[in-house]
Amino acid sequence: MGRDERIYEEAAALWRQLYGEPPPAGDAAAILDGILGDLPREAYSRLATDHLRPSNIAFPKG
């Protein structure tokens, strides 16, 4: 089983767990959009948190 199939199976399992029914037709992205679509959009501010020390932050090399 390839990467895309594994992601689809995980997304479908999450859908079944949340809604108790088969997932809608489509790929994993469509299923996850259906699950996450109603959630509010939040800014990703992990590096701005006071809970990380500089030694815990790794930046890409290059």
Side-chain angles (χ1 to χ4, degrees):
M1 183 183 300
R3 178 182 178 270
D4 290 338
E5 291 87 10
R6 287 193 313 266
I7 293 171
Y8 174 83
E9 289 302 322
E10 288 292 325
L14 178 59
W15 181 276
R16 286 189 293 274
Q17 189 70 29
L18 290 172
Y19 300 110
E21 59 187 43
D27 60 1
I31 295 171
L32 292 173
D33 282 342
I35 293 170
L36 302 173
D38 292 334
L39 294 176
R41 300 282 176 174
E42 294 291 330
Y44 185 72
S45 59
R46 181 171 184 252
L47 297 179
T49 182
D50 295 331
H51 303 290
L52 287 176
R53 290 183 228 119
S55 61
N56 295 115
I57 301 172
F59 292 97
K61 295 178 181 174

